Amino acid sequence: HVSAMYPSGKYSSRGPALIPRMKTKHRIYYITLFSVVLLGLIATGMFQFWPHSIESTADWALDKRSVHDAPLVRLPVSSPIPERGDLSCRMHTCFDVYRCGYNPKNRIKVYIYPLQRFVDELGVPISSTGLSREYNDLLSAVSDSDFYTDDVTRACLFIPSIDVLNQNSLRIRETAQALAMLPRWDKGMNHVLFNMLPGGPPDYNTALDVPRDRALLAGGGFSTWTYRQGYDVSIPVYSPLSADVELPERQPGPRRYFILSSQMAIHREYRAELERLKEENGEALLLLDKCSNLSQGAAPARKRCYKGQVYDYPQILQESSFCVVLRGARLGQAALSDVLQAGCVPVILADSYILPFSEVLDWKRASVVIPEEKLSEMYTILKSIPHRQVEEMQRQAHWFWEAYFSSMKAIGLTTLQIINDRIYPYAARTYEQWNNPPVVKWSSVNSPLFLPLIPPRAPGFTAVVLTYDRVESLFRVITEISKVPSLAKLLVVWNNQNKSPPEESLWPKIGVPLKVVRTKENKLSNRFFPYDEIETEAVLAIDDDIIMLTSDELQFGYEVWREFPDRLVGYPGRLHLWDHEMGKWKYESEWTNEVSMVLTGAAFYHKYFNYLYTYKMPGDIKNWVDAHMNCEDIAMNFLVANITGKAPIKVTPRKKFKCPECTAIDGLSLDQTHMVERSECINKFASVFGTMPLKVVEHRADPVLYKDDFPEKLKSFPNIGSL
Amino acid sequence: MQARKKYVLLGLCACCWLVLFYWGGGVQLRLLRLLTRHRAEVVRPWPNWTDRAFLPRYAHLDELQTDPGTAESPRQRRQAWSAIYKDSRCRMETCFDFSRCRRRGREGFRVYIYPSEKNDHVSESYRKILTSIGESRYYTSDPREACLFVLGIDTLDRDQLSGQFVPNVDERIRGYPLWNDGRNHLIFNLYSGTWPNYTEDLGFNIGQAILAKASLNTEHFRPGFDVSIPLFSKDHPQKGGEQGWLVRNTIPPRRKYLLMFKGKRYLTGIGSDTRNALHHIHNGKDIVSLTTCRHGKDWEKHKDSRCDHDNMEYERFDYQELLHNSTFCLVPRGRRLGSFRFLESLQAACIPVLLSNGWELPFSDIIQWNQAVIEGDERLLLQVPSTVRAVGNERVLALRQRTQMLWEAYFSSVDKIVLTTLEIIKDRVFSHISRNKYMWNSLPGGLLVLPEYSTHLAHFPFYYLGLGERASPGQEFTAVIHAVSPLVSQSQPIMKLLQVVSKSKYCSQIIILWNSEKPPPSRSKWPPMPVPLTVTDGKRKVSRFLPHVAIETEAVLSLDEDTVLLTSEVNFAFLVWRSFPERIVGYPPRSHFWDPLKRAWGYTSKWTNDYSIVLTGAAFYHRYYHYLFTHYLPQSLRTLVDRTSNCEDILMNFLVSAVTHLPPIKVAQRKQYKELPGPQGTKTVPWANPEHFNQRQECVNTFANWFGYMPLVHSQFRLDPVLFKDQVSVFRKKYKDLERA
């Protein structure tokens, strides 16, 4: 109320000024009236533009609703039935892409029909269970995701709220009629149905029997004959056990049993085959079955028995390296989910079965698929798999469960992501994104320059000289570099805003184009900006005081870079060390036997890394470097090593760069505080990267005939300095 | 009191308005919401039902865990299947006779080619296909041991209007005693159907045969059974093939044109919908989409108003130039779904933008196409420009490199296309000894990864970086010493070598390949060593590279008995190899060169400024190359090596460079290995023999011929220890031994 009063007070005080000639009586009347109006306006405004207050009350009303409050819909007997479903349906024939449209996020919009309770004319519901807990979980997850839209006109994909997860609880004909009654059904176009238990006795179809026109089916237990590749989505059969049982973390490795069979009611033919295997291989196999004489109260689903001995299920799955998942009447088995959760490698014996999410998941890395006919060879086949691979598969299996099987949310969102990837294939997730567990994602590298190319010599390289005001030294550097045969262009980055670069006539005359770029701010990162003037892919970054490098050394450096275009190839080598006393990283510029960095005071690298440095540097490193005016070279080494996983290459023995009489450690690096700062940089960057990406090596690159007993004049690079 | 009335009126109005707001606010609310649509869009999610915890499970645990079971026996069911699921519903389980491929691995997978009949006309392309199979390691001339059969009749062109069309195929194949309703047969086809509908019909009944066909439609494609192959021209090279056009990764990666198309515009008939619309996206600036009406005999009959103008514009641009200078290339369907331009743009590193709805992409079983092409939708042609514009530079860079990787791994020659087809089928037959998608889609490509060696990624030299911290090339190596001379004295070079190598802290075992007339000496004759020593038979020259089971480490140090080395040299080289596990890392270099006079490749052992070979008389490499050498290379080359007792090291270098596209690595060595023989050299060593040298010259040419190109690559550097021969204190140096003269 205070806020509402304030403006009215303000206006009333201004009142006299606005209407000075009015009589006091009228004035008071006017003011009161005006205040009332204003007050009202403000109050209304608050209501209008406080959407939460309105909506939350509405939501609150919604939240208080029970499933049984959902409106009842009576299906007339004669209500139309959809067609059976067309086996030739594909995205380009049965899916309306125009509904999805082009959007910058490349994300489909999904609409969920509001819940209705369908009954036939006699009032009997179409499903014995109605909405199941699992389907409710799935729909809630979808509605919480960014796929969701409540605007039916903008939706690309529609999810009916009719629960068809389990065909057994459905009345087929009536369910089909209910589907056809959906307001946007339109021959099932762009609709997706989730089903986990398809078919019914006696022949158990491998896809949902409910006629569904062109609707997509996300089904558990597809066979290759019912699965419309690239249209349907194969999903797992969710195991509710995983919600109830929390299995302890178990590291991959050899386990007590080699093969475990835990399914109940396996066909006697298979059982006989398994028994035979057990006879041959003894203790390595454990064949469990239903417990016949369990005490009262014990859940039979949680126990398994072998010759009177009782085992806990699913805990026992963690005791085996491989777990058999045999087909039953249906192809999809909930046991697969339990097995994966336990980190046991599933051995799948179900001919023609389309494995869950097989469109994107590489099951060869997490399971063994054996033709049913070869059940008798199972043991030999599994024994031939290397140990290390089994461990990898165990890890992968558990990860698949965690990411794609563990909840209805995971199953639902994965399905939508797969459909999303089909509609926006150019933005689809990659194989690595789908299949690499997070641990591998962090530690593995996916180099942006992965193709092994040795670029041609001809385009040459662009030398980028960062300078402030050391003109004399700069000119010397320019003159020296200009002698290098493969130099294509020289770019001087003039980092001094207070002083203009010397007149054009004063610059050394060289045979290649020389460009001067003036920067707006004196920042170190200017050296790594991907200037349009750099037209070659090879960049030589060089300081304005590096005068000792010979033409042969530079040319040789370029040749080495051509063989390692994805690395930093440079002259001054440095090392990082772990300081055990301090418990942190230390920078080392002594002449050591190892190298983990090359300084960009004189180094070749690919122009692409300029892009990465400028636009993709993790965390605040770039700004930090600019603020501290130091360590841009260390940052570059971190960046390149992190993305390629490779060490830099130090070329030639050269260690002194500025003057022959200089000591080991050059110029800037002389004082002790500087060294401390550099060490700090390494620690800072390592924490930002979350790891230490630098790789230590003990080699450097020299010309093939370097220091060999061979006439100097026949050597390509005779003039290689010694220190 | 006019004013007063006015105010009263005003007040009343205001009150009315307010009342309206409070009680009939719905109208305004709706109005307001309409006006501020974007802000007021309220996401009304799926409700949080109060009774959600009481909802029933979708299935009881018992129902999920206890299978209802069927009365039918699984065996009977499987037998019944093959009667039901055949012809257009064929799958490997029902239409393929696995019993013909019983033996494991390569032995089990043999391909037989029907002899062609005298007056048969076989097209150039089909002849190449048959040659590829005939020269492959899977070929057999004995139909009894064959797992797969390939017809001698040319079935590539089944367009009845074509000159290549072979009539009466149906009758002929039915006469073959081995036909067996097409079971285990592989039929290649590039063109099916004819004007006007271009159906998938081949004009004969293929029965249960596997179809390897270009332009396959997803609806007719039998997943897991057929193989979609790319359309290739009759000029497609048999072997080797042209390299991709991408030689450097320019930054920014965009080329002059964003998107290009140059081709026919069909005025009528199938495929005309898309081709007729292509000109709409032409903007004359960065998108060049040129069409011509001029094709076929009677194009002028259907000519429309655009034709003349288009035809003129069409002549202005050169297709090859556009290929080179465009970032993306449109690959729309033609009459059939696939077109030549698919492979052309792939090779040109011009990222294909596919507009061919329902095309089952080539080798779709194994290749992750979304990482190399942009899959468009014919229905959304007009979105294509904005789609490709939105592709970021990073992705362009990745897509482009991927086109090159795929081109060189699977498409650059008929050999590769045919072998990929065979390998895909073989992977299906032996599904538990097969490659995973990662192997197929990362360098060096599936053809060079033999699953019989291992199915575990970390066992190969190529995947360490991609696998992250869990995989490394190991901390130890196995030394394999090739011994030829009998053991007579304790001062023989091999004794010294054994000691030097066994002293290395990285050495885990030593294997001696005994290749001498005399039987190997007893264990006691060998010096005592800290590592296990195995002596095995190494009679043949190639046995040096046999995949000996005794080798347990990833790294192999291959040595000749007379090699002179220091322990520190070995250590240094091993550390270098750990940084380059996919390459050969060794000491003595050699080089190849093109001799324009002889028009042949030359080989030199002179000291040069570059090298392309390092001798395997002293070199580190990954043990997988032993396996590849023995099982990937053809018998003919291995026989040549055996017969001449020469060139095995050159062949190994060829192989590794063909796999990596990179040169080997030479490391620092104290003394020059095997100096050129002086005239006083009395000992007759094979390499001193000019005959021996000429043989090596020939070898280089024979090998290059088999590979179809020259895989060797030159390098100009060698790797030395960081302080090698530096004027710094010796005490600083870790590898000071290397510098002693």
Side-chain angles (χ1 to χ4, degrees), chain A residues 22 29 33 37 41 43-44 48 55 63 65-68 90-92 95 98 102 113 115 132-134 136 140 143 148 150 154 166 168 204 224-225 229 237-238 240-241 267 269-270 301 304 327-329 333 352 362 364-365 372 381 388-389 392 395 425-426 431 443-445 448-451 453 455 457 537 559 563-564 567 590-591 593 606-608 611 616 653 655 698-702 704 706 709-710 714 716, chain B residues 7-8 11 14 17 21-22 29 32-33 39 41-42 44-51 55-58 63-65 67-68 72-75 77-78 81 85 89 91 93 218-219 223 246-249 251 358 371 375 379 383 386-387 390 394-395 397 401 432 434-438 443 455-456 458 465-466 468-470 572 575 579-580 607-609 672 713 715-724 726 728 732 734-735:
Chain A
M22 216 172 265
Y29 176 75
L33 193 77
V37 172
L41 258 174
T44 341
Q48 287 286 343
E55 295 306 328
D63 270 5
R65 280 194 331 194
S66 145
V67 189
H68 301 287
R90 293 295 181 273
M91 291 307 269
H92 64 276
F95 196 90
Y98 299 111
Y102 173 80
Y113 284 98
L115 186 67
S132 70
R133 200 185 306 177
E134 282 78 13
N136 180 52
S140 305
S143 90
Y148 182 73
D150 73 327
R154 290 171 64 193
N166 184 352
N168 285 348
Y204 289 95
T224 161
W225 292 288
Q229 202 174 357
V237 180
Y238 176 69
L241 262 188
H267 195 279
E269 224 171 80
Y270 295 133
R304 293 289 188 277
R327 66 162 293 165
Q333 296 285 322
S352 83
D362 190 349
K364 280 187 187 167
R365 288 174 70 180
E372 289 171 44
I381 290 172
R388 276 169 72 193
Q389 191 180 355
E392 206 57 51
R395 213 174 268 131
Y426 41 86
Y431 172 91
S443 66
S444 74
V445 292
L449 305 168
F450 62 86
L451 197 69
L453 285 179
R457 182 178 297 122
E537 33 172 353
E559 300 290 345
E563 293 190 38
F564 297 111
R567 303 194 192 211
E590 286 286 313
W591 296 352
N593 287 290
H606 200 286
K607 187 186 172 188
Y608 186 69
Y611 270 92
K616 296 285 155 96
K655 285 170 191 62
E698 301 191 359
H699 51 251
R700 69 160 196 244
D702 289 330
V704 180
Y706 173 70
D709 188 11
F710 192 73
L714 293 180
S716 302
Chain B
Y7 296 133
V8 171
W17 191 55
F21 246 106
Y22 280 110
L29 266 177
L32 253 163
R33 184 175 291 188
R39 239 154 61 85
E41 186 192 322
V42 183
R44 205 183 303 113
W46 185 251
N48 255 335
W49 306 107
T50 43
D51 46 358
L55 290 174
R57 290 281 189 196
Y58 82 103
E63 189 184 352
L64 283 172
Q65 293 191 359
D67 197 82
E72 191 187 19
S73 134
R75 196 165 293 128
R77 184 198 63 224
R78 290 200 297 270
W81 269 7
Y85 298 114
R89 298 204 277 175
R91 298 293 185 271
E93 299 97 301
T218 40
E219 279 174 42
L246 187 74
V247 290
R248 44 194 282 251
N249 282 308
I251 303 294
Q371 291 174 48
E375 286 167 76
R379 292 172 290 177
Q383 273 182 22
S386 40
T387 306
E394 259 168 278
R395 195 154 157 76
L397 197 66
Q401 291 179 77
H432 51 275
S434 60
R435 304 159 180 90
N436 59 39
K437 284 236 172 82
Y438 190 81
L443 287 163
T455 44
H456 186 39
L465 284 173
E469 279 155 9
R470 291 217 204 98
F572 176 69
L575 290 181
S579 291
F580 305 95
W607 286 22
T608 49
N609 281 297
Q672 289 304 316
V713 186
S715 175
Q716 299 193 62
F717 67 85
R718 77 169 191 241
L719 294 182
D720 293 337
V722 174
L723 298 179
F724 186 65
D726 281 352
V728 296
R732 272 179 187 272
K734 185 173 170 188
Y735 300 102

Side-chain angles (χ1 to χ4, degrees), chain A residues 223-495:
Chain A
S223 90
T224 161
W225 292 288
T226 48
Y227 178 66
R228 295 168 292 184
Q229 202 174 357
Y231 192 64
D232 291 326
V233 182
S234 176
I235 61 170
V237 180
Y238 176 69
S239 169
L241 262 188
S242 57
D244 304 344
V245 186
E246 203 163 311
L247 293 176
E249 190 92 349
R250 182 83 197 252
Q251 286 307 309
R255 296 179 175 182
R256 190 163 160 211
Y257 303 104
F258 187 60
I259 303 173
L260 172 69
S261 162
S262 64
Q263 286 166 290
M264 300 191 277
I266 295 177
H267 195 279
R268 59 178 187 286
E269 224 171 80
Y270 295 133
R271 171 91 40 203
E273 198 81 64
L274 287 170
E275 294 285 357
R276 201 170 310 137
L277 275 172
K278 167 125 184 94
E279 264 167 47
E280 285 165 20
N281 303 297
E283 287 299 296
L285 268 79
L286 181 63
L287 302 185
L288 301 178
D289 203 352
K290 200 186 210 130
C291 296
S292 44
N293 47 354
L294 268 187
S295 59
Q296 284 290 312
R302 302 281 306 272
K303 299 283 172 204
R304 293 289 188 277
C305 289
Y306 176 69
K307 290 195 176 157
Q309 196 166 354
V310 186
Y311 297 86
D312 282 334
Y313 183 89
Q315 285 83 349
I316 183 65
L317 294 173
Q318 285 197 314
E319 300 301 320
S320 181
S321 298
F322 291 97
C323 294
V324 179
V325 181
L326 261 167
R327 66 162 293 165
R330 293 195 183 92
L331 285 167
Q333 296 285 322
L336 177 61
S337 183
D338 298 335
V339 164
L340 292 174
Q341 182 183 13
C344 183
V345 180
V347 182
I348 297 160
L349 292 124
D351 288 0
S352 83
Y353 178 41
I354 302 290
L355 284 163
F357 304 129
S358 58
E359 189 172 331
V360 292
L361 299 189
D362 190 349
W363 279 98
K364 280 187 187 167
R365 288 174 70 180
S367 71
V368 184
V369 178
I370 296 177
E372 289 171 44
E373 218 173 21
K374 291 194 175 171
L375 177 55
S376 57
E377 295 166 41
M378 176 170 70
Y379 187 81
T380 3
I381 290 172
L382 297 181
K383 267 292 172 200
S384 70
I385 302 172
H387 291 297
R388 276 169 72 193
Q389 191 180 355
V390 176
E391 280 175 30
E392 206 57 51
M393 288 169 114
Q394 288 173 337
R395 213 174 268 131
Q396 191 81 4
H398 181 72
W399 185 71
F400 272 6
W401 177 81
E402 217 172 78
Y404 308 113
F405 281 65
S406 56
S407 63
M408 288 305 289
K409 177 182 177 177
I411 295 172
L413 296 186
T414 307
T415 308
L416 294 185
Q417 185 64 46
I418 289 175
I419 298 171
N420 195 86
D421 281 3
R422 292 182 193 155
I423 291 164
Y424 305 107
Y426 41 86
R429 296 180 66 179
T430 63
Y431 172 91
E432 282 81 8
Q433 284 170 320
W434 283 112
N435 289 286
N436 282 359
V439 194
V440 174
K441 274 177 206 152
W442 293 326
S443 66
S444 74
V445 292
N446 213 340
S447 173
L449 305 168
F450 62 86
L451 197 69
L453 285 179
I454 299 183
R457 182 178 297 122
F461 64 89
T462 307
V464 178
V465 192
L466 185 74
T467 190
Y468 191 74
D469 58 2
R470 286 185 285 205
V471 175
E472 194 189 335
S473 160
L474 169 71
F475 284 179
R476 247 182 99 185
V477 171
I478 292 176
T479 320
E480 284 302 316
I481 302 176
S482 69
K483 295 176 192 157
V484 185
S486 282
L487 178 74
K489 192 190 250 180
L490 233 155
L491 197 66
V492 175
V493 180
W494 190 262
N495 224 1

Side-chain angles (χ1 to χ4, degrees), chain A residues 197-219:
Chain A
L197 298 180
D203 53 352
Y204 289 95
N205 191 356
T206 52
L208 181 66
D209 280 321
V210 177
R212 52 185 189 278
D213 280 332
R214 295 171 161 187
L216 278 159
L217 185 58

Side-chain angles (χ1 to χ4, degrees), chain B residues 656-674:
Chain B
V656 176
S657 280
V659 171
T660 61
H661 298 275
L662 294 169
I665 287 178
K666 170 180 165 42
V667 289
Q669 194 186 15
R670 184 180 51 129
K671 259 173 83 177
Q672 289 304 316
Y673 178 81
K674 289 178 187 172

Side-chain angles (χ1 to χ4, degrees), chain B residues 467-478:
Chain B
L467 290 179
E469 279 155 9
R470 291 217 204 98
S472 88
Q475 297 286 350
E476 291 178 323
F477 67 83
T478 302

Side-chain angles (χ1 to χ4, degrees), chain B residues 532-549:
Chain B
L533 177 85
T534 324
V535 182
T536 56
D537 175 56
K539 273 281 146 44
R540 295 178 308 148
K541 198 73 175 170
V542 288
S543 65
R544 152 168 241 157
F545 297 131
L546 281 178
H548 303 283
V549 279

Side-chain angles (χ1 to χ4, degrees), chain A residues 587-623:
Chain A
Y587 178 76
E588 180 62 83
S589 65
E590 286 286 313
W591 296 352
T592 57
N593 287 290
E594 293 164 320
V595 170
S596 64
M597 289 174 271
V598 295
L599 301 189
T600 49
F604 287 93
Y605 61 87
H606 200 286
K607 187 186 172 188
Y608 186 69
F609 295 128
N610 272 350
Y611 270 92
L612 291 184
Y613 188 98
T614 310
Y615 302 113
K616 296 285 155 96
M617 182 63 93
D620 60 341
I621 291 182
K622 195 176 157 235
N623 291 331

Side-chain angles (χ1 to χ4, degrees), chain A residues 489-532:
Chain A
K489 192 190 250 180
L490 233 155
L491 197 66
V492 175
V493 180
W494 190 262
N495 224 1
N496 189 342
Q497 283 76 40
N498 304 322
K499 209 166 123 185
S500 298
E503 260 179 68
E504 215 182 312
S505 58
L506 299 174
W507 291 82
K509 301 286 170 289
I510 57 171
V512 295
L514 191 152
K515 285 259 169 69
V516 182
V517 183
R518 298 194 61 181
T519 59
K520 290 204 180 72
E521 260 181 286
N522 179 18
K523 288 197 293 190
L524 274 179
S525 55
N526 289 338
R527 121 170 298 172
F528 295 134
F529 188 81
Y531 298 101
D532 287 339

